[in-house]
Amino acid sequence: MVNSTLLGVVLLARHGDRLEFFQDPLTYNPTQTFLTPLGSVQELQLGSFLRSEYLDSSSPTFIDGISSDVVNINQIDVRADAGGGGSVILNSVYGLLGGLFPPTPDNNITLANGTTVTSPFGGYQYIPVESVEPNLDISLNSFTSCPNFDNHINQFYASEPFAAEAAIAAPFLQQLQPFLGNRSTDFINMFNIFDFVNVQSVHNATFLQELPPTFAAQAYGFANFHENGVFTDASPGGIGNIAINTILPSIFTSLQSFANASNPLKIALNEISYKPFISFFNVTNATASQPLLGGIVDYASVAAIELHDALPEPLVNVRFKNGTTDPTFHDVPIFGQASVPLSQFISTLAPNAINTTKEWCIACNQTTLRGCSVFSL
Ligand SMILES: *[C@@H]1O[C@H](CO)[C@@H](O)[C@H](O)[C@H]1NC(C)=O
Ligand SMILES: *[C@@H]1O[C@H](CO)[C@@H](O)[C@H](O)[C@H]1NC(C)=O
Ligand SMILES: *[C@@H]1O[C@H](CO)[C@@H](O)[C@H](O)[C@H]1NC(C)=O
Ligand SMILES: *[C@@H]1O[C@H](CO)[C@@H](O)[C@H](O)[C@H]1NC(C)=O
Ligand SMILES: *[C@@H]1O[C@H](CO)[C@@H](O)[C@H](O)[C@H]1NC(C)=O
Ligand SMILES: *[C@@H]1O[C@H](CO)[C@@H](O)[C@H](O)[C@H]1NC(C)=O
Ligand SMILES: *[C@@H]1O[C@H](CO)[C@@H](O)[C@H](O)[C@H]1NC(C)=O
Ligand SMILES: *[C@@H]1O[C@H](CO)[C@@H](O)[C@H](O)[C@H]1NC(C)=O
Ligand SMILES: *[C@@H]1O[C@H](CO)[C@@H](O)[C@H](O)[C@H]1NC(C)=O
Ligand SMILES: *[C@@H]1O[C@H](CO)[C@@H](O)[C@H](O)[C@H]1NC(C)=O
């Protein structure tokens, strides 16, 4: 943590607990799933935690000048990935916002006739959320319908480290097979195997009772290897890191807005899946010192990219909280440092950024879907 005035924060938040989620291991095309009441509670708790960090004037990371009771909608920008399993991510962000800016009787208005009216549910605060539709805006869900990313996945599946890990996992997957219904135990299906085990362990009492105690953690470990290979790249600007490289432009714009005293923005909240987290920690070299960040972060995890006031220019630092069971933020060194000047943060990452749909179409070799047909590439 940097010990000076906080100018603003970009938040990357993962959705909460949901039902089973199948993704095609060759394309990561998703199927429909649903947020559970537990997931909504986890997001509300995350929002309350963030409120205590950023909106409580006694917190060392209180955001300078923020309206902390009744929201000022010019100070917060909220976007949610509308791809990936239907409404899970969008519905998650409403839970988070409910904790960040809870209902307050101060959310009232006095009418001309003298009557004071408080908004519904004891002063609920309706905060605008941009639903980022994958067919209109590639930024939060850039890893599907991307042929070059599919090639990257195939190359990973054909690689030597993949074969070696698959061989290590094989005896375990054989033991796990009776618990998996008819699901494929091919190692390329490892995310779906883990997800099934994880979801059943949370929601199915019989399954939880019958599954040997170490199996869930073992499945998690193998899935982490699998997803790390899919959502990273030997080069920070490589296609394997596309999940974060399409979000970078909005991160830069938000941080620059925080640094600009005439711009009201103070919080930029991006509600997303686990994938951009893996790529983010890869392109910022965070995993060099904290290898666990290379895995699937828990539900309702958050990465905070903070901008602190400093001379000659503001400093960027990152903190991470690993889901609901993790009680606090943890400092995450980026590029081997506790914090970096804003201009350095941007100049280091900017060469990797995918700034427009057209750049995405080119990076992916996509010529028809996701708005690419209008460009003659
Ligand atoms: C309405 O909100 C104001 C603050 O904006 C507060 O002082 C007042 O107590 C509220 N009125 C009611 C009836 O809650
Ligand atoms: C004032 O206007 C509101 C909204 O139209 C209405 O509900 C309320 O009954 C009115 N109060 C009085 C005292 O007329
Ligand atoms: C597994 O597949 C077999 C044959 O295709 C089918 O009869 C059976 O119902 C399936 N079991 C489950 C749990 O889906
Ligand atoms: C719960 O788990 C048991 C044991 O694996 C399985 O037989 C059953 O079909 C599962 N129930 C549901 C609703 O998935
Ligand atoms: C700062 O923000 C204001 C208001 O949004 C804008 O007009 C101005 O161009 C910004 N300055 C810089 C240097 O970006
Ligand atoms: C980023 O990912 C690549 C490919 O998996 C890996 O070789 C590299 O070591 C990772 N970088 C860091 C800092 O962990
Ligand atoms: C997050 O917590 C899970 C346990 O719920 C653990 O397996 C994982 O390694 C943790 N990740 C980090 C980055 O600490
Ligand atoms: C990130 O780490 C790699 C080695 O893993 C190093 O070559 C590279 O210079 C580092 N990048 C930055 C910006 O610190
Ligand atoms: C995106 O913009 C940055 C400057 O902010 C630039 O460095 C980068 O090369 C651009 N990306 C592409 C693919 O042109
Ligand atoms: C791009 O995709 C087309 C098929 O749509 C294929 O013919 C071509 O070889 C691909 N280009 C590259 C560089 O992969």
Side-chain angles (χ1 to χ4, degrees):
M1 195 180 83
V2 179
N3 213 349
S4 75
T5 304
L6 184 60
L7 300 173
V9 62
V10 178
L11 299 169
L12 306 176
R14 191 184 176 204
H15 60 76
D17 181 77
R18 51 153 171 69
L19 300 182
E20 187 179 0
F21 180 50
F22 178 83
Q23 339 188 62
D24 184 324
L26 301 179
T27 61
Y28 278 71
N29 279 342
T31 53
Q32 179 90 353
T33 181
F34 298 92
L35 191 71
T36 67
L38 170 62
S40 294
V41 169
Q42 291 170 335
E43 291 291 319
L44 184 89
Q45 288 171 340
L46 173 58
S48 303
F49 168 80
L50 293 169
R51 178 171 179 77
S52 70
E53 285 287 322
Y54 296 120
L55 301 176
D56 177 345
S57 59
S58 67
S59 163
T61 50
F62 177 67
I63 300 175
D64 188 46
I66 198 158
S67 174
S68 58
D69 183 21
V70 177
V71 68
N72 172 349
I73 58 166
N74 296 316
Q75 295 182 335
I76 181 167
D77 183 20
V78 186
R79 309 196 309 147
D81 176 8
S87 56
V88 168
I89 299 176
L90 194 53
N91 284 348
S92 289
V93 87
Y94 295 123
L96 192 161
L97 289 170
L100 190 62
F101 285 102
T104 170
D106 287 357
N107 189 13
N108 67 57
I109 196 162
T110 300
L111 306 177
N113 70 9
T115 301
T116 296
V117 179
T118 303
S119 102
F121 311 116
Y124 186 89
Q125 310 201 48
Y126 296 84
I127 299 173
V129 174
E130 183 191 347
S131 171
V132 178
E133 304 293 332
N135 285 332
L136 301 176
D137 178 341
I138 52 86
S139 62
L140 298 187
N141 203 289
S142 55
F143 43 87
T144 53
S145 310
C146 179
N148 283 347
F149 187 70
D150 298 347
N151 292 343
H152 158 84
I153 298 173
N154 271 318
Q155 280 165 20
F156 175 55
Y157 293 163
S159 72
E160 210 173 290
F162 187 87
E165 191 76 4
I168 296 169
F172 165 68
L173 290 176
Q174 208 173 347
Q175 288 178 289
L176 186 62
Q177 197 268 328
F179 298 93
L180 297 178
N182 279 357
R183 284 165 188 79
S184 161
T185 54
D186 191 316
F187 194 56
I188 72 166
N189 197 41
M190 194 62 230
F191 173 83
N192 294 314
I193 295 168
F194 154 70
D195 195 68
F196 176 74
V197 169
N198 189 42
V199 169
Q200 292 285 310
S201 297
V202 176
H203 294 283
N204 181 339
T206 315
F207 186 93
L208 181 62
Q209 204 173 9
E210 289 175 358
L211 190 76
T214 62
F215 277 27
Q218 282 174 279
Y220 195 175
F222 287 123
N224 285 340
F225 170 87
H226 188 284
E227 297 312 284
N228 182 267
V230 170
F231 291 100
T232 62
D233 200 292
S235 154
I239 196 76
N241 281 320
I242 191 95
I244 193 66
N245 287 342
T246 50
I247 304 178
L248 288 178
S250 76
I251 295 176
F252 300 158
T253 309
S254 299
L255 292 172
Q256 282 164 333
S257 299
F258 304 156
N260 177 349
S262 12
N263 191 306
L265 189 70
K266 296 187 184 299
I267 296 177
L269 168 59
N270 298 283
E271 192 85 14
I272 51 175
S273 66
Y274 67 90
K275 294 120 175 163
F277 284 89
I278 297 177
S279 305
F280 177 67
F281 293 130
N282 186 257
V283 300
T284 54
N285 273 6
T287 33
S289 57
Q290 303 191 15
L292 290 178
L293 290 170
I296 301 164
V297 300
D298 265 357
Y299 294 138
S301 284
V302 65
I305 307 166
E306 300 180 343
L307 189 74
H308 284 263
D309 201 11
L311 289 172
E313 64 165 311
L315 295 172
V316 178
N317 70 287
V318 173
R319 296 196 293 161
F320 174 69
K321 177 171 130 60
N322 188 16
T324 311
T325 54
D326 187 355
T328 58
F329 265 135
H330 308 276
D331 291 332
V332 176
I334 49 172
F335 312 123
Q337 291 170 265
S339 65
V340 297
L342 176 58
S343 62
Q344 186 192 329
F345 180 83
I346 293 177
S347 65
T348 305
L349 293 173
N352 316 329
I354 307 277
N355 309 300
T356 62
T357 299
K358 187 174 181 182
E359 288 175 13
W360 179 84
C361 302
I362 294 167
C364 288
N365 191 24
Q366 174 57 266
T367 54
T368 51
L369 306 177
R370 305 284 292 271
C372 295
S373 60
V374 299
F375 307 112
S376 37
L377 301 173

